[in-house]
Amino acid sequence: MRETFKEELDTVGNELVEMTRITRSAMSRATDALLDADLQLAETVISGDKTVDQLARDVETRVVELMARQQPVASDLRAIVTALRMSGDLERMGDNTTHLAKIARLRHPDSAIPEELRPTILEMCQIAERLVAKAGTVIASRDVETALELDHDDDRMDQLHRELFRVLLSPEWAHGVQSAIDVTLCGRHYERYADHAVQVAVQVIYLVTGEHAEDLSEVRARSGLMGGEAG
Amino acid sequence: MRETFKEELDTVGNELVEMTRITRSAMSRATDALLDADLQLAETVISGDKTVDQLARDVETRVVELMARQQPVASDLRAIVTALRMSGDLERMGDNTTHLAKIARLRHPDSAIPEELRPTILEMCQIAERLVAKAGTVIASRDVETALELDHDDDRMDQLHRELFRVLLSPEWAHGVQSAIDVTLCGRHYERYADHAVQVAVQVIYLVTGEHAEDLSEVRARSGLMGGEAG
């Protein structure tokens, strides 16, 4: 009975890792669709989001059934609560990629991203992919050290997000209000996507340590967790 | 034992209703802060968000303890899962109001909202408040009919959101890119806030009926739930 429970939890973990894989691929495709004004690619992202939503429901159904079948012990309960939260975050990351793809579709055959912002958006996509890949690793390994690395990557995302606004607000901006709105919304979706990936890591830390944290810097600031670093 | 369980669930329900009250007040104050460039009011919203975050954690801790103490039956499990989801939505609504307040603070002593958009923003706030108030009622009453009403209110929010973009993109727009970015981000926060309120109603419907739905229109479209309306 106990074995089955663990196996079921492993299945939930695998589904969550699968969600990170799909949302990572969606992020990559959504960005290509944005930069290259690729309508067909955008459509694959939009229609593919159903799979992520379905996986999120599968996770929810599975953990509810798990709770119903067996009295879970404290650490199992954490696994259940964090699985629900993580699937929620990953579902929202899927939504973020869908929104990006919809902006690409709306501006087709033009690109929503002006030439001078392509490198910034491309790097935002790279950071987003790195974050979700690490989130997947962390779900599988439950490694707190790796979980804490996401904080650093997310700092870079925030820098790039500010960089977008700097360009939008410079006197050289020559693409008008519509394009500024597109870029603002795109920037927000990359930033939110990254933030949800960080939240996945925060959940894993809670799962492993039982410690709640608003964000990873809070975890870092606490003593003990990083091998005796000052709190 | 059973009685205590029900009482604990009621406490969770009360905490969720309390979260709707606080996030409603925060929405009202954030909007006033935006429209009147009221720095002090903006600060109350930003510092007050801690209370919502704390309530969200209380809900989570309480339901985890509940699960640990007693084997919940199927409908209890739904109550537990939906409580976690609702507290997550309400916490994010608090975040939305904080973001609005931060935009108000950033533009102080100016208002981030140009004169001609004041009526639109004001109505968006009214709809947002109506939605969260209804969400609170629905959490307490578990009334599916009232839950379905949120869909209609949210339609109006979407209209107003589109209206914002129409004004931003009209040839008469005379406030430049910075203001367009501010309005775009504000619009998104009102829209997201409303969407989370609708999600709370969706969760209540799941709690009562056991039926999953992506949104309320999906529920409406299904037969039976509305007293035998065509599916």
Side-chain angles (χ1 to χ4, degrees):
Chain A
M1 185 68 177
R2 199 62 216 150
E3 269 315 297
T4 321
F5 189 84
K6 286 283 168 214
E7 276 165 24
E8 290 266 2
L9 272 189
D10 285 346
T11 306
V12 168
N14 292 340
E15 284 184 320
L16 291 170
V17 172
E18 180 64 14
M19 286 176 83
T20 67
R21 283 205 200 96
I22 299 173
T23 50
R24 178 184 178 171
S25 158
M27 171 49 84
S28 167
R29 279 176 289 132
T31 302
D32 285 347
L34 269 176
L35 295 177
D36 305 336
D38 188 329
L39 186 61
Q40 218 170 343
L41 207 54
E43 295 288 0
T44 70
V45 176
I46 295 161
S47 63
D49 194 43
K50 281 192 211 79
T51 316
V52 177
D53 293 346
Q54 189 53 52
L55 275 167
R57 284 197 193 179
D58 285 354
V59 167
E60 184 170 308
T61 309
R62 200 176 293 275
V63 298
V64 169
E65 284 172 2
L66 258 178
M67 288 193 285
R69 271 210 310 277
Q70 180 171 357
Q71 179 91 34
V73 301
S75 66
D76 298 332
L77 285 173
R78 284 212 299 273
I80 282 165
V81 170
T82 53
L84 288 174
R85 291 207 158 221
M86 287 191 279
S87 78
D89 280 311
L90 288 160
E91 191 180 348
R92 285 185 169 95
M93 289 162 77
D95 292 343
N96 290 132
T97 62
T98 303
H99 286 299
L100 290 175
K102 282 184 178 169
I103 293 171
R105 183 168 71 180
L106 201 61
R107 296 300 158 231
H108 176 82
D110 297 321
S111 167
I113 307 299
E115 196 62 31
E116 68 262 42
L117 282 174
R118 290 176 66 95
T120 314
I121 292 291
L122 206 56
E123 193 181 344
M124 287 175 99
C125 173
Q126 285 162 354
I127 304 281
E129 285 195 63
R130 192 183 310 159
L131 280 162
V132 73
K134 272 194 191 161
T137 308
V138 162
I139 292 169
S141 70
R142 301 194 176 183
D143 184 77
V144 171
E145 296 278 338
T146 312
L148 286 166
E149 286 176 22
L150 274 82
D151 202 26
H152 176 74
D153 295 328
D154 191 42
D155 285 346
R156 179 64 187 148
M157 181 63 95
D158 291 339
Q159 271 177 20
L160 291 164
H161 195 205
R162 283 193 294 274
E163 167 68 11
L164 276 190
F165 286 118
R166 199 194 57 72
V167 173
L168 289 180
L169 297 171
S170 73
E172 288 79 37
W173 182 254
H175 309 284
V177 170
Q178 174 72 72
S179 178
I181 292 173
D182 285 346
V183 171
T184 299
L185 291 175
C186 287
R188 178 127 189 105
H189 290 300
Y190 284 100
E191 185 267 328
R192 295 309 302 154
Y193 182 100
D195 196 54
H196 285 300
V198 172
Q199 283 306 311
V200 170
V202 168
Q203 292 303 315
V204 172
I205 291 172
Y206 171 58
L207 174 60
V208 175
T209 68
E211 292 274 314
H212 260 304
E214 278 303 305
D215 50 48
L216 293 175
S217 55
E218 198 180 308
V219 180
R220 266 188 197 287
R222 281 188 199 146
S223 59
L225 212 64
M226 290 295 287
E229 263 182 30
Chain B
M1 184 70 176
R2 200 62 215 151
E3 269 315 297
T4 321
F5 189 83
K6 285 284 169 215
E7 276 164 26
E8 291 265 2
L9 272 188
D10 284 346
T11 306
V12 168
N14 292 340
E15 285 185 318
L16 291 170
V17 172
E18 180 64 14
M19 286 175 83
T20 65
R21 284 205 201 96
I22 298 174
T23 50
R24 179 184 176 171
S25 158
M27 171 49 84
S28 167
R29 280 176 288 133
T31 302
D32 286 347
L34 269 176
L35 295 177
D36 305 336
D38 187 330
L39 186 61
Q40 219 171 342
L41 207 54
E43 295 290 359
T44 71
V45 176
I46 295 161
S47 62
D49 195 44
K50 281 192 211 81
T51 317
V52 177
D53 293 345
Q54 189 52 53
L55 275 166
R57 285 197 192 179
D58 285 353
V59 166
E60 184 170 308
T61 309
R62 201 178 293 276
V63 299
V64 168
E65 284 173 1
L66 260 176
M67 287 192 285
R69 273 210 308 280
Q70 181 171 357
Q71 178 90 33
V73 303
S75 65
D76 298 332
L77 284 173
R78 283 212 300 274
I80 282 166
V81 170
T82 53
L84 287 174
R85 292 210 157 216
M86 288 191 278
S87 78
D89 280 312
L90 288 160
E91 191 180 349
R92 285 185 169 94
M93 289 162 77
D95 292 344
N96 291 132
T97 63
T98 303
H99 286 300
L100 290 175
K102 283 185 178 169
I103 293 171
R105 182 168 72 179
L106 201 61
R107 295 301 156 231
H108 176 82
D110 296 322
S111 167
I113 308 299
E115 196 61 31
E116 68 261 41
L117 282 175
R118 289 176 66 95
T120 315
I121 292 292
L122 207 56
E123 193 181 344
M124 288 175 97
C125 174
Q126 283 162 356
I127 304 280
E129 284 195 62
R130 192 183 309 158
L131 280 163
V132 72
K134 271 194 192 160
T137 308
V138 162
I139 292 169
S141 69
R142 300 192 177 185
D143 184 78
V144 172
E145 295 278 339
T146 313
L148 286 166
E149 285 176 23
L150 274 82
D151 202 26
H152 177 74
D153 295 327
D154 191 42
D155 284 348
R156 179 65 187 147
M157 181 62 96
D158 291 339
Q159 270 178 22
L160 291 164
H161 196 205
R162 282 193 295 274
E163 167 67 11
L164 276 191
F165 286 118
R166 198 193 56 71
V167 174
L168 289 180
L169 296 172
S170 74
E172 287 80 35
W173 181 254
H175 308 283
V177 170
Q178 173 72 73
S179 178
I181 292 173
D182 286 345
V183 171
T184 299
L185 291 175
C186 287
R188 178 124 189 108
H189 289 302
Y190 283 99
E191 185 266 329
R192 294 309 302 153
Y193 182 99
D195 196 55
H196 285 301
V198 171
Q199 283 307 310
V200 169
V202 168
Q203 291 303 315
V204 172
I205 291 172
Y206 171 58
L207 173 60
V208 175
T209 68
E211 290 274 314
H212 260 303
E214 278 303 306
D215 51 47
L216 293 174
S217 55
E218 198 180 307
V219 180
R220 268 186 196 288
R222 281 189 200 147
S223 59
L225 214 61
M226 292 294 289
E229 264 182 29

Tab-separated table of all heavy atoms in Angstrom, chain A residues 33-57:
chain	number	residue	atom	x	y	z
A	33	ALA	N	8.085	32.307	-33.102
A	33	ALA	CA	6.906	32.831	-33.792
A	33	ALA	C	6.868	34.355	-33.724
A	33	ALA	O	6.546	35.032	-34.711
A	33	ALA	CB	5.629	32.239	-33.190
A	34	LEU	N	7.216	34.894	-32.574
A	34	LEU	CA	7.253	36.353	-32.404
A	34	LEU	C	8.316	36.989	-33.287
A	34	LEU	O	8.050	37.961	-34.001
A	34	LEU	CB	7.590	36.696	-30.951
A	34	LEU	CG	6.464	36.882	-29.945
A	34	LEU	CD1	7.073	37.116	-28.570
A	34	LEU	CD2	5.544	38.033	-30.329
A	35	LEU	N	9.520	36.428	-33.227
A	35	LEU	CA	10.649	37.065	-33.918
A	35	LEU	C	10.537	36.902	-35.427
A	35	LEU	O	10.874	37.816	-36.175
A	35	LEU	CB	11.974	36.489	-33.405
A	35	LEU	CG	12.293	36.769	-31.924
A	35	LEU	CD1	13.598	36.092	-31.512
A	35	LEU	CD2	12.385	38.278	-31.663
A	36	ASP	N	10.073	35.736	-35.870
A	36	ASP	CA	10.023	35.474	-37.312
A	36	ASP	C	8.627	35.650	-37.897
A	36	ASP	O	8.401	35.319	-39.053
A	36	ASP	CB	10.511	34.036	-37.594
A	36	ASP	CG	11.890	33.789	-37.009
A	36	ASP	OD1	12.622	34.782	-36.825
A	36	ASP	OD2	12.216	32.625	-36.724
A	37	ALA	N	7.684	36.153	-37.087
A	37	ALA	CA	6.306	36.319	-37.549
A	37	ALA	C	5.809	35.018	-38.189
A	37	ALA	O	5.239	35.029	-39.279
A	37	ALA	CB	6.194	37.492	-38.523
A	38	ASP	N	6.038	33.920	-37.491
A	38	ASP	CA	5.691	32.597	-38.019
A	38	ASP	C	4.317	32.166	-37.496
A	38	ASP	O	4.165	31.699	-36.364
A	38	ASP	CB	6.768	31.586	-37.594
A	38	ASP	CG	6.595	30.228	-38.272
A	38	ASP	OD1	5.446	29.842	-38.562
A	38	ASP	OD2	7.622	29.558	-38.494
A	39	LEU	N	3.312	32.341	-38.363
A	39	LEU	CA	1.923	32.107	-37.962
A	39	LEU	C	1.668	30.651	-37.597
A	39	LEU	O	1.006	30.344	-36.600
A	39	LEU	CB	0.985	32.538	-39.099
A	39	LEU	CG	-0.515	32.493	-38.805
A	39	LEU	CD1	-0.888	33.420	-37.669
A	39	LEU	CD2	-1.304	32.870	-40.068
A	40	GLN	N	2.227	29.753	-38.411
A	40	GLN	CA	1.999	28.322	-38.195
A	40	GLN	C	2.559	27.864	-36.843
A	40	GLN	O	1.908	27.140	-36.092
A	40	GLN	CB	2.679	27.536	-39.321
A	40	GLN	CG	1.880	26.331	-39.770
A	40	GLN	CD	2.460	25.717	-41.030
A	40	GLN	OE1	3.251	26.353	-41.742
A	40	GLN	NE2	2.069	24.485	-41.305
A	41	LEU	N	3.763	28.371	-36.543
A	41	LEU	CA	4.395	28.044	-35.266
A	41	LEU	C	3.557	28.589	-34.105
A	41	LEU	O	3.356	27.910	-33.089
A	41	LEU	CB	5.805	28.641	-35.249
A	41	LEU	CG	6.864	27.968	-34.374
A	41	LEU	CD1	6.979	26.484	-34.683
A	41	LEU	CD2	8.223	28.660	-34.584
A	42	ALA	N	3.072	29.818	-34.275
A	42	ALA	CA	2.225	30.427	-33.237
A	42	ALA	C	1.007	29.547	-32.976
A	42	ALA	O	0.627	29.313	-31.826
A	42	ALA	CB	1.799	31.832	-33.664
A	43	GLU	N	0.414	29.033	-34.037
A	43	GLU	CA	-0.781	28.195	-33.887
A	43	GLU	C	-0.480	26.901	-33.122
A	43	GLU	O	-1.309	26.433	-32.344
A	43	GLU	CB	-1.386	27.850	-35.260
A	43	GLU	CG	-1.919	29.050	-36.041
A	43	GLU	CD	-3.208	29.638	-35.454
A	43	GLU	OE1	-3.709	29.136	-34.432
A	43	GLU	OE2	-3.689	30.649	-36.034
A	44	THR	N	0.727	26.351	-33.335
A	44	THR	CA	1.066	25.116	-32.595
A	44	THR	C	1.132	25.379	-31.085
A	44	THR	O	0.764	24.532	-30.286
A	44	THR	CB	2.426	24.506	-33.032
A	44	THR	OG1	3.499	25.347	-32.588
A	44	THR	CG2	2.510	24.291	-34.525
A	45	VAL	N	1.613	26.568	-30.735
A	45	VAL	CA	1.695	26.919	-29.306
A	45	VAL	C	0.283	27.060	-28.731
A	45	VAL	O	-0.026	26.539	-27.655
A	45	VAL	CB	2.489	28.233	-29.102
A	45	VAL	CG1	2.479	28.643	-27.625
A	45	VAL	CG2	3.921	28.080	-29.609
A	46	ILE	N	-0.565	27.775	-29.473
A	46	ILE	CA	-1.919	28.063	-28.975
A	46	ILE	C	-2.725	26.771	-28.820
A	46	ILE	O	-3.348	26.534	-27.783
A	46	ILE	CB	-2.622	29.072	-29.911
A	46	ILE	CG1	-1.873	30.421	-29.861
A	46	ILE	CG2	-4.093	29.249	-29.537
A	46	ILE	CD1	-2.160	31.349	-31.032
A	47	SER	N	-2.662	25.913	-29.852
A	47	SER	CA	-3.454	24.683	-29.767
A	47	SER	C	-2.822	23.690	-28.784
A	47	SER	O	-3.522	22.906	-28.144
A	47	SER	CB	-3.604	24.047	-31.157
A	47	SER	OG	-2.335	23.677	-31.654
A	48	GLY	N	-1.500	23.762	-28.622
A	48	GLY	CA	-0.804	22.815	-27.744
A	48	GLY	C	-1.021	23.074	-26.262
A	48	GLY	O	-0.740	22.205	-25.431
A	49	ASP	N	-1.526	24.257	-25.918
A	49	ASP	CA	-1.689	24.590	-24.496
A	49	ASP	C	-2.709	23.679	-23.815
A	49	ASP	O	-2.657	23.491	-22.600
A	49	ASP	CB	-2.090	26.064	-24.337
A	49	ASP	CG	-1.932	26.540	-22.904
A	49	ASP	OD1	-0.906	26.206	-22.282
A	49	ASP	OD2	-2.831	27.226	-22.395
A	50	LYS	N	-3.598	23.096	-24.598
A	50	LYS	CA	-4.577	22.137	-24.047
A	50	LYS	C	-3.883	20.991	-23.308
A	50	LYS	O	-4.375	20.514	-22.287
A	50	LYS	CB	-5.415	21.539	-25.186
A	50	LYS	CG	-6.523	22.424	-25.698
A	50	LYS	CD	-7.458	21.618	-26.596
A	50	LYS	CE	-8.064	22.487	-27.684
A	50	LYS	NZ	-7.124	22.724	-28.811
A	51	THR	N	-2.756	20.542	-23.874
A	51	THR	CA	-2.029	19.420	-23.259
A	51	THR	C	-1.562	19.775	-21.853
A	51	THR	O	-1.656	18.957	-20.931
A	51	THR	CB	-0.795	19.060	-24.123
A	51	THR	OG1	-1.185	19.063	-25.491
A	51	THR	CG2	-0.248	17.705	-23.758
A	52	VAL	N	-1.052	20.989	-21.703
A	52	VAL	CA	-0.593	21.431	-20.379
A	52	VAL	C	-1.782	21.517	-19.418
A	52	VAL	O	-1.700	21.056	-18.277
A	52	VAL	CB	0.120	22.800	-20.479
A	52	VAL	CG1	0.525	23.295	-19.093
A	52	VAL	CG2	1.333	22.703	-21.372
A	53	ASP	N	-2.883	22.096	-19.894
A	53	ASP	CA	-4.075	22.199	-19.042
A	53	ASP	C	-4.554	20.814	-18.613
A	53	ASP	O	-4.935	20.603	-17.466
A	53	ASP	CB	-5.205	22.925	-19.796
A	53	ASP	CG	-4.860	24.392	-20.045
A	53	ASP	OD1	-3.908	24.889	-19.409
A	53	ASP	OD2	-5.532	25.029	-20.875
A	54	GLN	N	-4.508	19.871	-19.552
A	54	GLN	CA	-4.959	18.515	-19.252
A	54	GLN	C	-4.042	17.856	-18.210
A	54	GLN	O	-4.521	17.218	-17.275
A	54	GLN	CB	-5.007	17.671	-20.544
A	54	GLN	CG	-5.653	16.324	-20.368
A	54	GLN	CD	-7.049	16.419	-19.734
A	54	GLN	OE1	-7.910	17.158	-20.199
A	54	GLN	NE2	-7.284	15.698	-18.632
A	55	LEU	N	-2.740	18.044	-18.387
A	55	LEU	CA	-1.799	17.486	-17.419
A	55	LEU	C	-2.029	18.079	-16.031
A	55	LEU	O	-1.968	17.374	-15.023
A	55	LEU	CB	-0.356	17.745	-17.865
A	55	LEU	CG	0.240	16.726	-18.832
A	55	LEU	CD1	1.537	17.257	-19.446
A	55	LEU	CD2	0.525	15.402	-18.120
A	56	ALA	N	-2.318	19.376	-15.979
A	56	ALA	CA	-2.582	20.027	-14.682
A	56	ALA	C	-3.793	19.374	-14.010
A	56	ALA	O	-3.796	19.129	-12.808
A	56	ALA	CB	-2.805	21.525	-14.876
A	57	ARG	N	-4.807	19.080	-14.814
A	57	ARG	CA	-5.988	18.410	-14.243
A	57	ARG	C	-5.687	16.985	-13.815
A	57	ARG	O	-6.189	16.515	-12.800
A	57	ARG	CB	-7.116	18.380	-15.272
A	57	ARG	CG	-7.771	19.732	-15.397
A	57	ARG	CD	-9.107	19.603	-16.083
A	57	ARG	NE	-9.573	20.918	-16.472
A	57	ARG	CZ	-10.697	21.128	-17.111
A	57	ARG	NH1	-11.473	20.107	-17.438
A	57	ARG	NH2	-11.076	22.350	-17.420
